[in-house]
Amino acid sequence: MARPRERKAAAGDDPRLLAEIRAFYEGRLKSRPAALPGAGGAFPAVAHGPVWALKNGGWLLPEHTVGWDVCCWASAHLAGPGGGPFLFTDEQLRFMLWYYATDSAGKFLSPTVVLQRCKGWGKDPLAGVIALAALCGPSVPFVGDEDGVVRGRREESPWIRLLAVSQQQTENTMGAIRALAPPDVREDLAIRVVTTLVRPTDGSAGFITAITSNPDAAEGARATLTVCNETQNWTRSNSGIAMMGVVRGDAAKSPPERQARVLHICNAARVGVESVGLSVREGWEEHGGADAGLMYDSLEAPPDAPLTAEAAPEVVESVRGDASWLTPDRIVQDIMDPSTPPSESRRKWYNQVVASEDAWLTREEWDSCLDRDLPALEPGDEVAVFFDGGKSDDSTACVAVRVSDGAPFVVGVWQRPPDARAHNWVVDRGAVDKRVRDFYEHHNVVALWADPSHAVEDESMEQFWDSVVDGWHRDYGRRLRLKATSGHSVKWDMSSPANQKAFVHAVQATTTDVLEHAFVHDGDARLRAHVLHAVRYPTRFGVSISKDGRESRKKIDLAVCMIGGRMIRNIWLNSRRRSRGSIW
């Protein structure tokens, strides 16, 4: 496949050359077996998203896509390693087909796309191809008048932003662009490439610009494509979270005909570190991506893949996908380096979203207790309910634990919204009171214990939750079979040393139950998120749990309520056993 040497608009490319390139790629996809990396081995890769999805023994491909036009254009124009034409691997090709997938009307299926792969996979070069195609190639879908086929055309006024929180990260993508477009390609495409800018030289509109850690500079409603580099490193301290707020706002304001898009390229995020990468991953796990127009594609090692010199080569070979340039032996040396924390090795080379070493529970430990056939909570089931009151910063949460099997069920969670609405936000006590009362009236509650916190009213300085908790005591106290204290059937103050000790013991018991698979849950995404946010916290009574920092926005209140509910359940079971026996 020769690359044309004359400047040609995408629509004017030699159709015979483009057809030849497409036939080459289609034939390659059909001739090679379709299977997940490592299939049949001890550690087959775990795939999320459509790129490694199978259908009827072959690859699942989109019905409508501009990806064929873009890939053929890229192979006809851009340079690959060694100076030849740029050739996509099969994995890269399928990603491009899905990245540019549309409906029959030419609307992109996924305005936001996340590409998560292991370190060294080649995310920056692929992002460079997408950026150059957005500037010069047939990246905008349109529907043919005669045949109704979705095809690609050049964007009339492209504005492409390469965003990162460090100069090195923007340089990674800009360096890839320079490699893809050496001097002869720049002449062919009529573009000029400088340190942080790519512009057409033939009078055409548009540009590619690199921006580092500057939300104000990133703001602009006219962006057609925003490439967000290494979003697992976008945190509050480096303005990454603020910058993502700008990106989302700009994309939302973009007119429909412009079809503004956002591409995240990242490694696996660190659990417990508040980052854009982690929040997008957790949001995708909790809600899925369809409603938000999000495609999340990742290739990861299985949760039980060991981090050993014997197993790592096979695991890395699976996780690298088609990135054959990654050498497992060299990667194993980095994995075995004693100065590299295991969590970092799993994150970088196994592409696993893992907790730090001080996490209370890992994803794998929690998810291993999921029971997809867990019976739903019935009104007649005995339940122990624990309530944790917040006001504005901490969440307010309530969890019921079924006495028969110890399974937790979220009654409700109320927390500050993560955007402008959060200003001066205070939990609606009336809504909380109504929800807890409604649950009590329709379920067999043996105990309702509440830690009201020490939050106070802004004006009266009275305890914020006392009136609500006292109301539960007055209305339900006589019917509750297990009282929180001798003086109050509901109020259970966590600040009491005796209660702290009881809670720490409950943390340890719950930890043991999870690790020994003596625990079941229904997979509630809200509870899962709070459990995974919790870190181990040493106290004088033993190891408890806490947030990863006093100002952390990662809430754990549902996890606290779950532990509290299981503590109440154990007390209730033990009290029933004693009452049924005979004393001699």
Side-chain angles (χ1 to χ4, degrees), residues 282 285-287 366 410 522-531 558:
E282 290 180 339
E285 290 178 339
E286 183 172 348
H287 304 294
W366 178 256
V410 174
D522 62 358
D524 187 288
R526 299 165 297 176
L527 176 58
R528 180 180 188 268
H530 282 218
V531 166
L558 283 172

Side-chain angles (χ1 to χ4, degrees), residues 394-449:
D394 283 338
S395 298
T396 294
C398 188
V399 171
V401 171
R402 186 159 53 198
V403 172
S404 62
D405 56 8
F409 298 90
V410 174
V411 176
V413 59
W414 301 262
Q415 57 192 32
R416 184 171 63 179
D419 52 27
R421 294 174 296 154
H423 184 63
N424 292 330
W425 182 87
V426 176
V427 66
D428 185 344
R429 281 176 298 185
V432 175
D433 185 36
K434 182 177 184 302
R435 172 60 185 146
V436 174
R437 286 176 175 273
D438 182 72
F439 183 87
Y440 179 90
E441 296 294 344
H442 293 88
H443 292 84
N444 184 10
V445 179
V446 300
L448 168 60
W449 293 10

Side-chain angles (χ1 to χ4, degrees), residues 130-304:
I130 292 172
L132 286 170
L135 181 66
C136 308
S139 61
V140 179
F142 76 97
V143 181
D145 293 333
E146 296 181 359
D147 55 12
V149 175
V150 178
R151 295 187 175 88
R153 64 168 176 81
R154 185 169 176 173
E155 174 68 59
E156 294 179 0
S157 183
W159 180 354
I160 299 98
R161 302 179 295 189
L162 310 178
L163 302 187
V165 294
S166 73
Q167 184 65 42
Q168 180 58 48
Q169 289 173 5
T170 58
E171 174 56 28
N172 289 343
T173 308
M174 287 299 301
I177 288 175
R178 286 192 287 271
L180 290 162
D184 61 329
V185 173
R186 298 177 200 181
E187 181 181 357
D188 170 36
L189 298 178
I191 59 173
R192 180 173 179 236
V193 182
V194 294
T195 306
T196 60
L197 189 68
V198 181
R199 272 193 183 278
T201 58
D202 62 356
S204 301
F207 58 89
I208 300 173
T209 183
I211 302 172
T212 303
S213 292
N214 190 338
D216 294 333
E219 193 161 9
R222 294 192 299 117
T224 52
L225 169 66
T226 302
V227 178
C228 304
N229 199 312
E230 304 291 3
T231 51
Q232 79 278 0
N233 295 327
W234 289 33
T235 64
R236 195 169 302 280
S237 62
N238 58 30
S239 299
I241 291 177
M243 195 153 63
M244 181 50 63
V246 170
V247 171
R248 292 194 183 103
D250 288 352
K253 291 186 295 184
S254 178
E257 64 273 10
R258 197 163 175 80
Q259 296 215 60
R261 308 198 71 192
V262 179
L263 171 64
H264 298 235
I265 56 174
C266 59
N267 301 127
R270 301 172 182 86
V271 175
V273 177
E274 185 183 12
S275 69
V276 169
L278 183 61
S279 67
V280 173
R281 174 64 179 243
E282 290 180 339
W284 171 75
E285 290 178 339
E286 183 172 348
H287 304 294
D291 292 341
L294 169 67
M295 179 182 110
Y296 200 108
D297 202 272
S298 181
L299 191 65
E300 306 169 9
D304 59 349

Side-chain angles (χ1 to χ4, degrees), residues 46-130:
V46 176
H48 301 294
V51 171
W52 286 95
L54 303 173
K55 181 179 181 181
N56 299 327
W59 297 113
L60 176 65
L61 300 178
E63 182 179 359
H64 307 283
T65 181
V66 184
W68 286 116
D69 290 343
V70 173
C71 289
C72 293
W73 173 88
S75 291
H77 286 279
L78 304 182
F86 184 87
L87 294 179
F88 295 91
T89 67
D90 290 357
E91 182 181 11
Q92 290 172 335
L93 177 66
R94 296 193 306 275
F95 174 80
M96 295 290 282
L97 296 180
W98 279 108
Y99 176 82
Y100 289 103
T102 73
D103 61 16
S104 59
K107 180 181 177 182
F108 284 121
L109 298 183
S110 305
T112 301
V113 175
V114 178
L115 176 63
Q116 179 189 313
R117 290 294 190 274
C118 66
K119 186 178 178 64
W121 181 86
K123 299 180 291 294
D124 284 294
L126 199 60
V129 170
I130 292 172

